[in-house]
Amino acid sequence: MKILHIVQTYVPAYRYGGTIKIVHELNKWLVKKGADVTVYTTNIDGQNDLNVPVNQAVDVDGVKVFYFKSSFPRSWFYSKYLRRALAENSKNFDIIHSTGVFLMAATLGAYYAKKFNKPFVISPRGSLMKEPLRGKSSLKKKLYVALIEKRNLRGASAVHFTAEAEKEEYLKAGFQLKKSIVIPNGLDPEEFKEKAAQGFFREKFGISSDKKIILFLSRLSWKKGLDTLIPAFAGVAKKEPDSVLVIAGGDDEGYKKEIEKQIANNKLQIGGNVIFTGMILGKDKISAYQDGDVFVLPSYSENFANVVIEAMYFGLPTIITEGVGIASVVKHWGAGIVIKKDIDALTDNILKIINNPGLKKEMGEKGKRLVESEFLWPLIAKKFLEEYSALIKNQQ
């Protein structure tokens, strides 16, 4: 099976969040399952360009990746070279899969899939859920949806969702759908095989062994719910002065300044209990999960949230909001606590976990079992190949 995946940015452009890594992990495991996968993307990395060969195939874990040089309009993540390659080569693939909406990937993918009669899959990756649509640049998004994106979605052979919650919000918003595919993100145990020494993270960031670590690990973005987490942690610190809030993540939107303003609020008095690590990867990330006491993600909206399954894989109990796509599964398995986006509820449940070693251990064990049963990449890749095969058969 020859698969073409179109996405506006690709590894190593990690500033754009977990989706970049997830899409590559999927493609890597599709290759391991015997598929021939090609990626068309751009060399864009924020205001800069990736240090990669452009307009030629680059082998990344067996995936043939073409990083095309960007063109005007760069804000649309457009590349005339990418478009030229689609015009010349789309006919040579069995299926075309685009990740992302509001940018060039979905529009160009939809156009050339239709032109060459190829099955076409779109993965919105949460961008069409309620909160993102009414959040940043909401008016522009509504106009784009009305003028362009609805047509792309209407023509897609299937729309891929990472959770039932994402699909439900898509349908409630009135978007059309020929077929839905609900397949979650995955986790690769090999990535976390080399465990760090216990206490490595604490030592590196100067956190003593008697401190309780409340871990937030994600991009620093408005939608991640830090406006709830900061005052909630202030409530925790009043009752547990030895608690520490670790905020780990890249600041690609410049939102860190807003977080720092909240922390500097004299009424909260938590400045000495909050640590910013910046983006952490590899050994630092593994050790953060190992040394943490509870993982917290109080997001407004997440189509999935891979950091949650990573935390659970390491036996770290989680507290997440109802807006996180994986929430219903976590709740069903008892692998964490699901709350409404509420300051008091978050405070109470953080205290509940850090003061109850038995509950912490029980949730951690259930979370690890959940990940190993439902969210490992070999299983996820197999499901995608089955769905691709059915779409290709129906197109013939």
Side-chain angles (χ1 to χ4, degrees):
M1 184 187 300
K2 297 188 70 175
I3 303 163
L4 174 62
H5 202 126
I6 311 169
V7 59
Q8 40 265 13
T9 56
Y10 205 69
V11 296
Y14 294 113
R15 71 173 61 241
Y16 295 105
T19 295
I20 301 302
K21 179 176 180 297
I22 290 160
V23 171
H24 176 61
E25 287 295 312
L26 169 60
N27 291 330
K28 180 178 76 174
W29 278 95
L30 289 171
V31 169
K32 288 186 176 185
K33 290 288 185 181
D36 183 334
V37 182
T38 298
V39 171
Y40 283 1
T41 187
T42 70
N43 67 333
I44 294 175
D45 186 25
Q47 299 300 314
N48 303 310
D49 293 333
L50 292 170
N51 183 22
V52 292
V54 294
N55 302 346
Q56 60 182 283
V58 178
D59 186 303
V60 185
D61 297 321
V63 181
K64 294 187 287 291
V65 183
F66 288 79
Y67 297 92
F68 291 104
K69 185 175 176 58
S70 66
S71 310
F72 178 83
R74 185 183 173 97
S75 60
W76 197 49
F77 287 72
Y78 178 70
S79 167
K80 64 182 180 183
Y81 306 100
L82 189 156
R83 181 164 192 158
R84 190 178 301 158
L86 284 171
E88 294 174 358
N89 303 320
S90 293
K91 61 181 178 293
N92 299 323
F93 296 94
D94 298 311
I95 191 165
I96 297 173
H97 186 161
S98 289
T99 288
V101 290
F102 304 122
L103 299 171
M104 65 85 193
T107 298
L108 295 186
Y111 176 82
Y112 285 102
K114 182 178 181 180
K115 181 175 181 178
F116 292 106
N117 192 35
K118 300 295 179 181
F120 175 57
V121 179
I122 295 181
S123 293
R125 294 285 173 182
S127 295
L128 297 176
M129 295 177 78
K130 179 175 62 178
E131 290 297 339
L133 281 175
R134 71 184 186 189
K136 187 178 178 183
S137 305
S138 59
L139 180 59
K140 288 182 180 179
K141 288 177 180 179
K142 287 176 183 177
L143 288 171
Y144 194 94
V145 166
L147 297 173
I148 299 173
E149 211 66 86
K150 276 190 174 180
R151 183 174 65 249
N152 298 335
L153 296 165
R154 187 169 58 245
S157 307
V159 179
H160 162 241
F161 306 101
T162 54
E164 286 292 339
E166 183 187 5
K167 176 183 172 182
E168 288 170 9
E169 289 200 17
Y170 177 95
L171 294 173
K172 284 180 182 178
F175 296 118
Q176 292 184 327
L177 187 66
K178 286 183 182 177
K179 175 182 171 61
S180 66
I181 298 172
V182 182
I183 303 177
N185 296 335
L187 181 141
D188 183 358
E190 289 296 310
E191 181 184 352
F192 301 106
K193 186 170 64 175
E194 294 184 16
K195 303 290 192 296
Q198 197 69 38
F200 173 83
F201 184 85
R202 288 176 179 272
E203 182 178 349
K204 180 168 183 175
F205 291 97
I207 305 170
S208 61
S209 59
D210 61 323
K211 302 285 188 182
K212 302 288 187 181
I213 295 179
I214 292 90
L215 177 64
F216 169 92
L217 199 162
S218 195
R219 282 183 304 124
L220 306 189
S221 168
W222 68 269
K223 83 167 192 171
K224 302 296 180 178
L226 285 150
D227 58 338
T228 299
L229 178 55
I230 300 303
F233 176 70
V236 171
K238 282 182 182 178
K239 295 186 177 181
E240 294 292 339
D242 286 334
S243 58
V244 174
L245 174 60
V246 171
I247 299 177
D251 183 30
D252 62 290
E253 297 178 4
Y255 189 68
K256 183 180 177 183
K257 291 180 181 178
E258 178 59 33
I259 302 168
E260 289 174 330
K261 285 181 184 177
Q262 294 179 46
I263 293 169
N265 185 330
N266 291 330
K267 292 181 181 178
L268 298 182
Q269 297 180 334
I270 57 171
N273 295 65
V274 181
I275 295 174
F276 287 92
T277 67
M279 182 185 292
I280 55 174
L281 300 168
K283 188 177 180 181
D284 289 344
K285 186 177 184 181
I286 290 171
S287 187
Y289 289 132
Q290 289 179 234
D291 288 355
D293 290 283
V294 60
F295 177 85
V296 182
L297 187 66
S299 292
Y300 283 93
S301 177
E302 298 281 347
N303 66 301
F304 187 79
N306 244 56
V307 287
V308 177
I309 64 171
E310 290 177 357
M312 291 192 298
Y313 180 72
F314 282 93
L316 190 58
T318 63
I319 302 173
I320 58 178
T321 43
E322 294 172 335
V324 176
I326 197 176
S328 62
V329 182
V330 171
K331 186 175 182 178
H332 176 75
W333 278 70
I337 296 174
V338 178
I339 62 170
K340 293 185 182 297
K341 195 174 179 300
D342 177 81
I343 294 169
D344 291 338
L346 185 53
T347 298
D348 293 344
N349 281 288
I350 291 173
L351 289 167
K352 181 179 178 180
I353 289 178
I354 65 176
N355 289 323
N356 192 332
L359 177 63
K360 177 183 171 183
K361 184 174 185 294
E362 179 186 354
M363 281 189 179
E365 291 172 350
K366 288 179 178 178
K368 188 169 178 62
R369 285 200 298 271
L370 167 57
V371 175
E372 292 175 342
S373 299
E374 303 288 336
F375 298 122
L376 297 186
W377 272 119
L379 173 64
I380 304 303
K382 180 174 180 291
K383 289 180 179 179
F384 266 103
L385 288 174
E386 289 170 352
E387 293 289 354
Y388 287 157
S389 295
L391 291 171
I392 292 167
K393 184 178 180 181
N394 290 338
Q395 193 80 10
Q396 293 171 348

